[in-house]
Amino acid sequence: MQNEHRKAIQNNFGSLVEQTDLDMMVSALYEKGVFSEQMIEPFKDTNKDTRTRKRQLYMDIMRRGPDAFGHLLEVLEENGYWNLVRELDPASSLHLQPRTTYNTQDSKSGENNYVSIRTEKKRTKSNVEATKNEILAASSASHKEGTDPSVDIPYFHVVKSKEFFEDNEDKDIKLYKTRGRQRGILVIFSYIQFCNDIEVYRKGVDIDCKKLKYLFDEIGFSVIAYQNLTKQETETTLKRLEEVLVGTECVFIVVSSHGYERAPRSAETDIRCSDGQLLSFLDIVERFNNVNLPALRGVPKVFISQLCRGRNEEWTVAPRARAAGAAGGAGDGAVGAVGAAGARGAAGARVESDGASWEEPLEQQADRIYSDILIGHSTVPGFVSHRDPEKGSWYIQALCEVFAARAHDCHVEKLFTLVDERMYDHFQVQTSSVEKWGFNRRLYLHPGLYQD
C-alpha cells in the first residue's frame, strides 16, 4: 500500500472504527479478495469485543498490498459510507468539485463541498467506544479537504477538572451523572454550501467545527460530524443516531446553517439543508424526546443552535464605549439594519449573516414527553446571528472560550450565561438565549476526569 493511502487510513482510523459495521466490511473485503478465508477468521472471534476486531481489521488492511486501499474505498461507497470516502480520498467523485483556493472576498471560498447523495443503501451500527487519540485524529482530519489552508485555527487550553462535584452539595437540585469514560458524544450538523448556490456560502463555519471538535475532544467526548447533508439524509441520520448514542452519559447536538423564522418573532426556526429544502429545528429536537428516543430518558441532551432566527439586526444606542480589541463578526441570516454592504466590527472585519402537541397522560406508567433537554440559541427570535468569515461565528467563538476556561468549575447552565456575557463584552450587538425543557439537574462536564 502506498504511503499516502496508509496515512489516510491512519488519519481517519477513529472514524472507520466508529462508523462501520464489522461483519459487512469483512464480508465485502473478502469478496473483493483483500483477505483470504483463513485471514478473516480472527475478525470472527467473538471472544474479543467488536471494537478490538475492527481495529485489527483496519490495521491489517494497511498491510494488504497496493490494491487494498482502492477496494476499501469501493466497499465504503457501495455501503453508503460516503463521508468516509470523502475524507479518505480527496480525488473521489463524491466531491462536488476539486479543491480550489479563492480570494478572501469571495463569499463562496475556502472549502471543499460535497454532492447531495440520496441513499437507499444500508447504514449500519456504530461503535462509539473510540479512544481519545483516535477521536482526536479523526476530528482533526474530518474537514482537512474543506479547510482553507491559510486559516490558522487557534487551539486553546482546556482547563481540566481536579475533583468531581458531589450530589450532596445542593439538596434541592441533583446532578446528572458524568463520571465515566463514555462521558458524552458531540454530533455536529453543519451546512456550508447549497445546491445551485441558492444560499450564500457560509465561510468560517469550518473554523467553528474545528474549534468544537478540539474543545469537546479535550473535555472527553467522542465527536461525529456531518457536513452538507440533504434534508432526507439529515432525517435518516437522526433516526439512526440512537444506535450510537445509547449508553453515553451526555449528548450535545450542534446545528449550524442559514435559519429562517416561520412567523414574525416566532420561536420556531427552519434550517436550510444542502439541497435547498427546509427542516424545522424543533423537529430535530423532537427526535430526542422521551417518546421517540426513550433510551435517552434521564440523559442530558444539549442542543446548540448556530442559526439566524429572523432578519432584524440587534442595534441600539448606549452610553458605553465599545470594548477594546473587539473583533468583527458574521451571522447566519439576512443582513439587517446595518446594511447590505455588511456591518464592521472595531477591527474592521466583514460581517455576514445567515439567513405543539398536547401531552395526554396515560393511565399506566405515565411519563412526560419532554425532559433533560437544554437548548442554547446563538440569538433571540426575530434576529440574525453573526459570523466572522475568518474567525467563525461570534457565538461559537464565545462558547469555546468559556467552556475551555470554566467547564472544570461551572455547570452547563452557568456556562451558557457566561457565554452570553462574553459575547456581549466582545461584540455588544447580539443576545443569546437558553431554553430548558425539564432540564432539572446540574450538568458538570468534568473535563479530563474519569471514574472507572
Side-chain angles (χ1 to χ4, degrees), residues 5 8 69 73 84-93 95 145:
H5 295 159
F69 185 75
L73 295 178
L84 289 175
V85 176
R86 294 163 184 152
E87 292 171 1
L88 287 164
D89 183 14
S92 169
S93 62
H95 290 292
E145 290 301 321

Side-chain angles (χ1 to χ4, degrees), residues 22-238:
L22 177 64
D23 293 337
M24 181 276 297
M25 292 298 295
V26 170
S27 175
L29 290 168
Y30 167 72
E31 290 175 3
K32 291 186 179 293
V34 177
F35 296 110
S36 67
E37 188 169 353
Q38 182 179 2
M39 295 171 70
I40 65 175
E41 288 304 315
F43 308 136
K44 300 178 180 179
D45 183 4
T46 55
N47 291 322
K48 297 180 180 178
D49 62 76
T50 303
R51 177 174 162 272
T52 299
R53 286 180 282 153
K54 279 201 280 187
R55 285 170 52 84
Q56 188 61 52
L57 170 70
Y58 293 112
M59 286 191 287
D60 287 354
I61 286 176
M62 290 187 280
R63 296 190 285 265
R64 290 305 302 150
D67 298 328
F69 185 75
H71 289 313
L72 173 62
L73 295 178
E74 291 171 4
V75 170
L76 292 170
E77 181 172 351
E78 289 167 4
N79 289 277
Y81 297 110
W82 299 299
N83 278 346
L84 289 175
V85 176
R86 294 163 184 152
E87 292 171 1
L88 287 164
D89 183 14
S92 169
S93 62
L94 296 183
H95 290 292
L96 181 63
Q97 59 188 32
R99 183 173 174 178
T100 308
T101 302
Y102 297 85
N103 293 329
T104 333
Q105 289 80 9
D106 190 339
S107 64
K108 300 173 186 175
S109 67
E111 295 172 275
N112 189 32
N113 299 279
Y114 308 141
V115 293
S116 301
I117 300 179
R118 292 175 174 80
T119 174
E120 296 296 335
K121 296 185 178 181
K122 179 183 177 185
R123 285 184 188 267
T124 52
K125 291 186 179 180
S126 299
N127 188 321
V128 299
E129 299 175 2
T131 64
K132 183 176 181 182
N133 287 338
E134 290 167 352
I135 290 298
L136 183 57
S139 299
S140 63
S142 178
H143 291 302
K144 63 181 179 181
E145 290 301 321
T147 304
D148 184 344
S150 66
V151 174
D152 182 24
I153 305 300
Y155 291 128
F156 34 82
H157 174 62
V158 178
V159 181
K160 302 301 192 295
S161 294
K162 295 183 179 179
E163 59 183 4
F164 291 110
F165 286 88
E166 302 292 343
D167 249 337
N168 58 11
E169 292 185 8
D170 191 324
K171 295 181 180 178
D172 296 327
I173 302 179
K174 301 299 183 183
L175 306 184
Y176 287 110
K177 179 184 176 183
T178 50
R179 297 192 174 201
R181 292 195 174 273
Q182 286 189 305
R183 177 61 43 81
I185 295 179
L186 169 69
V187 184
I188 303 174
F189 291 94
S190 61
Y191 304 84
I192 301 176
Q193 187 179 31
F194 304 87
C195 287
N196 301 319
D197 295 330
I198 63 172
E199 290 287 2
V200 175
Y201 184 95
R202 301 180 63 236
K203 191 173 190 301
V205 175
D206 60 326
I207 299 173
D208 286 347
C209 293
K210 282 194 172 185
K211 287 182 176 180
L212 288 166
K213 287 179 177 184
Y214 181 85
L215 169 68
F216 278 86
D217 177 78
E218 285 291 297
I219 291 174
F221 278 52
S222 299
V223 179
I224 303 173
Y226 301 96
Q227 186 179 96
N228 294 335
L229 299 183
T230 65
K231 179 179 180 180
Q232 180 182 348
E233 289 172 343
T234 302
E235 292 175 334
T236 301
T237 299
L238 287 166

